[in-house]
Amino acid sequence: MKFCTVKQYFDDENNNNVTNGIATTVIPLPNKHLKIKANNKEMEQYEQELLRNVMPQELTKLILAANYLNFKEALDFFCRTVANAIQNKSVDYVRKFFGLESDFEPGEEEKLCKEFAWSFEGVDED
Amino acid sequence: MGQSTSTAAISSRREINHSHRPKSKSTALICPMQHLEDNDDCEIIDGGDPDYISELPDECLAYIFQSLNSGDRKRCSLVCNRWLRIEGQSRHRLSLNAQSELFPLIDSLFSRFDSVTKLALKCDRRSPSICDEALVLISCKCRNLTRLKLRACRGLTDAGMEAFAKNCKGLKKLSCGSCTFGAKGMNAVLENCSSLEELSVKRLRGITDGAAAEPIGPGAAASSLKTICLKELYNGQCFGPLITGSKNLKTLKLYRCSGDWDKLLQSVTEHVTSLIEIHLERLQVSDVGLLAISNCSDLEILHLVKTPECTNIGLLSLSERCKHLRKLHIDGWKANRIGDDGLIAVSKNCGNLQELVLIGVNPTKQSLESLATNCKNLERLALCGSDTVGDPEISCIAAKCIALKKLCIKSCPVSNQGLEALANGCPSLVKVKLKKCRAVTLEGAEWLKNNRESLAVNLDNGETEQQDASASDGAQENGGVAEFPTPAVPSQMAAAAAAAVAASNMAGSTSRSSSMKWRLGLLSGRNLVACTLRRWSSANSNARGTCQRHYDFLRLKTLVAWWGLIHLAYRICMA
């Protein structure tokens, strides 16, 4: 069931969404997941390893691939990994991580920061 | 850094992309294919510092944001314009400081966050809160609101609540605390929000007492309501028609509401028999109420916390009819109205019992044996503040509780010897927690750890502030075992030590070192000094007395001041 898209992928020769390298990483994932599903610590370790060995660019491709293959667990996993990578980090760090540049007008960022800040600050999460 | 890929690389990639235009048919989870057209940048990165995140469709980016907390989301929104837009549009949960100053910002706030379905508006007691107009404006902007939480929004009146309810008819959960609107507003919500499933009300000041009390409910929401929770209400009985009218109610929680509840429980359970979970805490309820509850034959979870008029008789009659009981929490408040008899009845009638928490109840081997033998699925057991649970009782548990996975013992006369029994008994045991059992030492715990490696042993003999075992929002469950919130605060430990030293000097006791340990064990409660002196004079070794346990802000301030003084005294002594 997880791989209904895979058949289509293999049938579709012109498919450019998923490069072979990515497919090699994504497809064995279910087995890996099943093995380490029970063990949270192992998952964390695997996540760390993935983060170290795989560049952000690869991660985004993995997300795209998982999405295309309709593989929810992998998609959750990769998105969560990206989220963990940018958790508690500064705005600049996040930009660097993804190779992005700010396209705000000068002063706009500061204004945005201040605009609703007080309405969020000190309010606990739901 | 940034989007600085060479133009040559981009154009070559575009050629590749164009020649392999993907088919329109898509089975992708999140992103529709057409998004790829917007992201002509690279599938294959050739180098430089490309912006790879732009490849990701908006929906995927939003999916990543889902795992982040509010603070991280805020930071992400400042990365660039695209992220600002996506973050705002994908934020479904918003928690705001609902002071009156929020009003002028509502327009722009909800333009940026246009998909909010769960909203919390929290004000503090000192500041003026948003008014009706603000709430109505918010309700116009968030038509799809499913959850609303209000805290100390004293500027909201019945009229505001009514107008809000008319705009947000899809509301599923309402939680309001320390608000001042009244029955009219509540009824308006119940009339308009016909899909309401959960209602939680704490300290609603607008509900008047006596003759002027307007009944609340049932309303259009009565058939959809699944959970009703009432806390600290002066005139909670006015919710009677609502509770009685909620034919599909599954969970009822009543905490510290004044007045007699026996009668109301009787009328409720005549009409509502679907209840699965009932929490009664610090309520005027007796065996009559328990008998009424026994009408709910599907009852699975029952919490009876500090209801000293509930006795063995009531528990017996309840157990005879509620045979599916899975989780039972009883805080007997040391009143000894519930003991062996009631527990034996439960054990014989409720074979499915999985979780049992007993606080201030004194079971003996008799009932523990019966429970162990008859409740073959008993997985979690917590015994707290029992004078009768000692080593023989632990041995009994160890020998007979085959299914037990988690065991928590607090403030009981158990010693290291009792731990020895656990080394070989309870074959399914995974975790044991020992708190404030003075005769259990680190050595004992280590011994047990070494002799049963698969067992997680948690020893907390902390000379820390002892808190009320009954959490006001129901017992906190940590992996199934009731956690008794007792933060280990180092400063308070020092205070305890200092107080002991200072007092032992004052009392002129014999040996400082031997008495200190004993006194450290006695020190408890928020009324640190008062309780301490009282206990030393009565030499009562039982740490839990009948001290007033209500957490009082004034006492906290006094406590802090005392701590400062004592700490100073300690330093002078030790110098």
Side-chain angles (χ1 to χ4, degrees), chain B residues 94-212:
Chain B
L94 198 59
S95 187
L96 297 174
N97 208 331
Q99 291 171 10
S100 50
E101 291 88 355
L102 185 68
F103 190 25
L105 298 178
I106 290 174
D107 252 328
S108 40
L109 250 172
F110 289 98
S111 296
R112 179 173 154 187
F113 303 113
D114 56 4
S115 314
V116 173
T117 55
K118 298 173 192 171
L119 181 65
L121 298 168
K122 300 181 184 183
C123 189
D124 64 78
R125 270 157 240 199
R126 286 168 304 239
S127 324
S129 78
I130 47 167
C131 57
D132 285 342
E133 216 183 328
L135 183 66
V136 175
L137 184 57
I138 290 173
S139 68
C140 288
K141 301 265 177 188
C142 305
R143 294 279 175 157
N144 297 323
L145 214 58
T146 57
R147 287 198 211 176
L148 179 67
K149 196 188 252 194
L150 299 169
R151 291 290 178 268
C153 294
R154 285 163 305 156
L156 301 178
T157 71
D158 290 331
M161 291 306 292
E162 182 169 356
F164 161 81
K166 288 190 169 146
N167 284 332
C168 296
K169 291 190 184 247
L171 198 70
K172 292 214 170 120
K173 181 174 173 180
L174 175 65
S175 167
C176 53
S178 304
C179 292
T180 48
F181 63 90
K184 276 205 174 65
M186 193 56 73
N187 277 323
V189 172
L190 294 168
E191 216 34 70
N192 284 289
C193 304
S194 54
S195 317
L196 196 66
E197 289 176 2
E198 255 183 80
L199 178 66
S200 178
V201 184
K202 180 175 173 177
R203 287 199 213 136
L204 195 62
R205 307 224 182 106
I207 303 177
T208 49
D209 194 20

Side-chain angles (χ1 to χ4, degrees), chain B residues 2 17 59 112 138 185 238 246 280-281 391 424 428 451 455 464 488 533 538 547 569:
Chain B
N17 250 354
E59 289 86 348
R112 179 173 154 187
I138 290 173
C238 64
S246 300
L280 304 173
E281 180 173 320
D391 293 337
N424 298 313
S428 313
N451 280 281
L455 182 66
T464 55
L533 292 175
S538 68
C547 291

Side-chain angles (χ1 to χ4, degrees), chain B residues 398-417:
Chain B
K400 311 224 160 141
C401 288
I402 318 168
L404 202 67
K405 289 190 181 153
K406 290 184 184 177
L407 178 65
C408 175
I409 312 278
K410 181 179 171 190
S411 304
C412 293
V414 174
S415 75
N416 286 338
Q417 220 177 343

Side-chain angles (χ1 to χ4, degrees), chain B residues 356-375:
Chain B
L356 180 64
V357 174
L358 298 173
I359 301 165
V361 173
N362 291 320
T364 67
K365 259 171 99 171
Q366 234 191 331
S367 56
L368 289 172
E369 218 167 67
S370 183
L371 283 160
T373 324
N374 293 306
C375 301

